[in-house]
């Protein structure tokens, strides 16, 4: 297994089982009790989810290309991606370091299942655990907005591990490190708000690409989602050979 995290990881686990869970459940939900910034992040994140579904279904000629395809949703949160994937007929293995997140994702899937008149939804398998403890082989591995919790020094090992689980493709999203966003982040660090409980790490696309190339993968598609307060670079990688 790859060792990642140290203190960071324990802090992240605690955060996403506590205040972070409450905060992100609200952001990823559909209730009205969100402020302008949270609403903006909700919108940005939902665009990322839509883009991923498009990426994973685009290159096939119609039908339901994800039907029966094994997908690992690594760091699944409240199931924002797990549920649309399961509705597309994918056989999803979803996991998260936070037990609270996994319980909420399971609850939302049961709710979706109750509404699933056509009976198309395939029940995902859920597990509490960190990315490093993931095992097995999946057609597709997806890891959305989790790299923000990994410093670049740990990100390479995390990306290599996820690639080793994927047979055909790996989809990653991360907050891009550009001068402008770096600056924004530094300003944020000067004035930390009360809800800033974890460190946020930005990644340059070049660094992510290099980490993929090191283990024999290449980027096939790229996307960028930005709203006022949400920035995500999206890459789909495939084995280079
Ligand atoms: N991927 C989900 C989505 O896009 O809706 C959730 C994104 S949320 C910003 C980040 C998630 O990553 C949290 O649910 C957190 O518990 C999880 N996470 C952070 N570090 C992790 C790790 N080392 N292993 C597994 N999950 C982790």
């Amino acid at each position: 297994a790859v060792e990642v995290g140290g203190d960071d990881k324990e802090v992240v686990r605690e955060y996403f089982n506590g205040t972070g869970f409450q905060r992100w459940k609200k952001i990823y939900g559909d209730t009205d009790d969100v402020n302008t910034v949270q609403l903006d992040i909700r919108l940005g994140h939902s665009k990322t989810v839509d883009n991923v579904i498009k990426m994973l279904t685009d290159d096939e000629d119609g039908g339901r290309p994800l039907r029966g395809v094994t997908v690992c949703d690594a760091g699944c949160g409240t199931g924002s991606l797990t549920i649309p994937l399961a509705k597309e007929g994918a056989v999803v293995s979803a996991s998260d370091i936070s037990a609270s997140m996994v319980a909420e994702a399971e609850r939302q899937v049961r709710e979706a299942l109750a509404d699933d008149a056509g009976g198309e939804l395939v029940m995902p398998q859920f597990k509490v655990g960190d990315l490093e403890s993931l095992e097995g082989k999946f057609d597709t591995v997806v890891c959305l907005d989790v790299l923000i919790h990994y410093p670049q020094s740990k990100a390479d090992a995390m990306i290599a591990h996820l690639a080793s689980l994927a047979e055909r493709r790996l989809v990653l999203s991360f907050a891009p490190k550009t001068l402008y966003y770096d600056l924004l982040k530094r300003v944020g660090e000067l004035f930390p708000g009360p809800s800033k409980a974890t460190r946020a790490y930005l990644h340059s696309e070049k660094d992510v690409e290099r980490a993929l190339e090191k283990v024999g993968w290449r980027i096939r598609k790229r996307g960028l989602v930005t709203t006022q307060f949400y920035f995500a670079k999206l890459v789909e990688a495939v084995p280079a050979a």
Side-chain angles (χ1 to χ4, degrees):
V2 191
E3 195 39 60
V4 169
D7 286 350
D8 264 346
K9 202 182 209 174
E10 274 320 303
V11 171
V12 166
R13 190 199 313 270
E14 236 172 78
Y15 173 70
F16 280 107
N17 272 318
T19 52
F21 171 64
Q22 297 304 336
R23 175 178 153 82
W24 288 98
K25 183 174 75 161
K26 219 159 70 168
I27 292 175
Y28 292 156
D30 55 9
T31 52
D32 293 336
D33 56 344
V34 281
N35 61 36
T36 325
V37 175
Q38 292 169 331
L39 190 62
D40 178 85
I41 297 173
R42 178 189 285 177
L43 180 73
H45 176 260
S46 76
K47 281 189 190 178
T48 298
V49 170
D50 289 350
N51 282 3
V52 171
I53 295 291
K54 227 192 254 150
M55 250 184 187
L56 297 183
T57 52
D58 238 17
D59 52 348
E60 314 282 336
D61 38 3
R64 285 162 56 83
L66 286 176
R67 178 181 264 162
V69 171
T70 52
V71 181
C72 168
D73 184 4
C76 64
T78 59
S80 307
L81 178 71
T82 305
I83 294 169
L85 284 173
K87 283 185 175 163
E88 289 290 329
V91 180
V92 188
S93 298
S95 63
D96 198 283
I97 196 170
S98 154
S100 305
M101 285 289 187
V102 171
E104 175 61 18
E106 279 188 289
R107 191 192 67 73
Q108 291 196 19
V109 166
R110 277 197 299 275
E111 220 171 71
L113 202 56
D115 291 343
D116 183 40
E120 299 273 14
L121 193 151
V122 179
M123 192 63 190
Q125 281 214 329
F126 286 100
K127 212 178 107 185
V128 178
D130 59 19
L131 297 180
E132 290 66 38
S133 63
L134 281 170
E135 289 174 348
K137 283 282 181 196
F138 307 90
D139 177 274
T140 301
V141 174
V142 187
C143 186
L144 294 192
D145 295 0
V146 183
L147 265 168
I148 192 150
H149 305 298
Y150 282 71
Q152 190 57 46
S153 59
K154 313 274 186 190
D156 280 26
M158 184 264 225
I159 290 170
H161 182 59
L162 292 180
S164 78
L165 305 170
E167 276 166 344
R168 208 157 60 95
R169 56 192 170 188
L170 170 61
V171 176
L172 294 170
S173 74
F174 53 94
K177 183 172 188 164
T178 63
L179 282 176
Y180 172 66
Y181 297 140
D182 226 11
L183 187 73
L184 269 187
K185 189 180 160 259
R186 266 178 235 161
V187 171
E189 272 167 7
L190 285 176
F191 306 102
S195 66
K196 258 187 112 227
T198 57
R199 295 186 58 175
Y201 299 98
L202 309 176
H203 299 276
S204 83
E205 191 173 343
K206 270 274 150 277
D207 287 340
V208 172
E209 189 158 22
R210 221 172 286 131
L212 286 161
E213 282 170 0
K214 263 204 306 205
V215 290
W217 287 62
R218 68 175 172 87
I219 295 178
R220 177 166 75 170
K221 285 186 202 160
R222 300 164 204 259
L224 179 69
V225 177
T226 66
T227 59
Q228 230 180 326
F229 299 100
Y230 176 92
F231 317 104
K233 189 93 209 179
L234 193 60
V235 299
E236 183 195 339
V238 294

